[in-house]
Amino acid sequence: MSEKDGLRTYRGKRRFDRTSEPSGEHGRRDEDASSHEPVFVVQIHDASTMHFDFRLEVDGVLKSWSVPKGPSTDPHDKRLAIPTEDHPMAYRDFEGTIPQGEYGGGTVIVWDQGTYTPTSHDKRHRPVPFAEALEKGHVTFELHGQKLRGQYALTRFHGREEKDGGTSKKPTWLLVRTAGSGEGAGSGTTDPRRARSARSGRTLRQVAADASAPTWESNRGEKK
Ligand code: MN
C-alpha cells in the first residue's frame, strides 16, 4: 500500500493477456475523482483461500485489504484485514474468473458496492484527510452500500509499513463496525458460497459457469 508505488505492484503481479482483470493502464486516475463521492467495493474471491477483498477509493486508486471472514455488521466482531496492493478504480466492476495458474486464480464477484463518507477526525474533532488518517493507521468512514451501511473503522494494530523495501512485520488491520443499528444495518449473507453479486445477482458458481461457457464474454455492463 505504499503511496509512491501506485499501480506498479498490481501490474507486476498480473499478465493482462491472460486475465480479464483491468490493467488500469489509463493512469492512476481513470476517472474524475473530484466529481463523485468516494466509492467502495467488497468482492468475494474464491482463490486458493476463499476471502473477501475490501476496497476504498483513496486519491484515484482502490486501497485494498484482504478480509478472510468478510465484514461483520456486529460491532463486537472485529475482522482481520490484511493490506494488499492498490487496485485500479476499474477493478470495482470486475466480476469473472481469473485463470488458474495466474495470480489470484479463481472466481470473483462483487458482493457489495456503494459510496462512503470519510469521517476521520483528530482529537479536537477537526476532520483529517482520509489518506493522512490511513497513513497513521486509523480511519473511520460511513458506508452507503447495498448491503453494508453504517460506521466502520479500519485500524492498524501492529507493524509498520516500510517505504523502501525494508523487512518489517506485515501490518495487520482490523475492520470493525462502530455504530449504526436497526434497519439497513446490513443484509445479505457473508456465506461466500451462497452470497449473491450486488451487480448481477449471480453466485460465485454461476459466474464460474459463465466463464467456462464456450463463448468468452465480458461481464462488463451486464445487469440482471
Ligand atoms: Mn483477492
Side-chain angles (χ1 to χ4, degrees), residues 57-69:
E57 175 184 0
V58 182
D59 295 341
V61 293
L62 293 172
K63 293 285 174 190
S64 299
W65 291 260
S66 171
V67 183
K69 289 182 170 179

Side-chain angles (χ1 to χ4, degrees), residues 45 47 51-53 55 66 84 87 108:
H45 188 180
H51 61 274
F52 289 66
D53 286 301
R55 311 188 197 281
S66 171
T84 58
H87 279 50
V108 175

Side-chain angles (χ1 to χ4, degrees), residues 1 7 10 13-14 21-22 37-47 51-67 70-71 81-96 98 103-104 106-117 130 134 139 141-145 148 154 175:
M1 275 204 340
L7 296 173
Y10 172 86
K13 288 172 186 278
R14 292 169 175 81
E21 296 165 282
E37 277 214 279
V39 301
F40 82 96
V41 64
V42 184
Q43 282 152 320
I44 301 179
H45 188 180
D46 187 10
H51 61 274
F52 289 66
D53 286 301
F54 187 83
R55 311 188 197 281
L56 296 171
E57 175 184 0
V58 182
D59 295 341
V61 293
L62 293 172
K63 293 285 174 190
S64 299
W65 291 260
S66 171
V67 183
I82 298 131
T84 58
E85 74 276 15
D86 293 353
H87 279 50
M89 286 301 298
Y91 209 91
R92 73 181 196 272
D93 295 333
F94 181 71
E95 222 169 62
I98 301 162
Y103 180 74
T107 301
V108 175
I109 60 171
V110 173
W111 179 72
D112 197 16
Q113 59 185 2
T115 61
Y116 74 92
T117 308
F130 200 77
L134 206 53
V139 285
F141 46 94
E142 185 174 357
L143 296 179
H144 316 287
L148 298 177
L154 266 166
L175 173 64

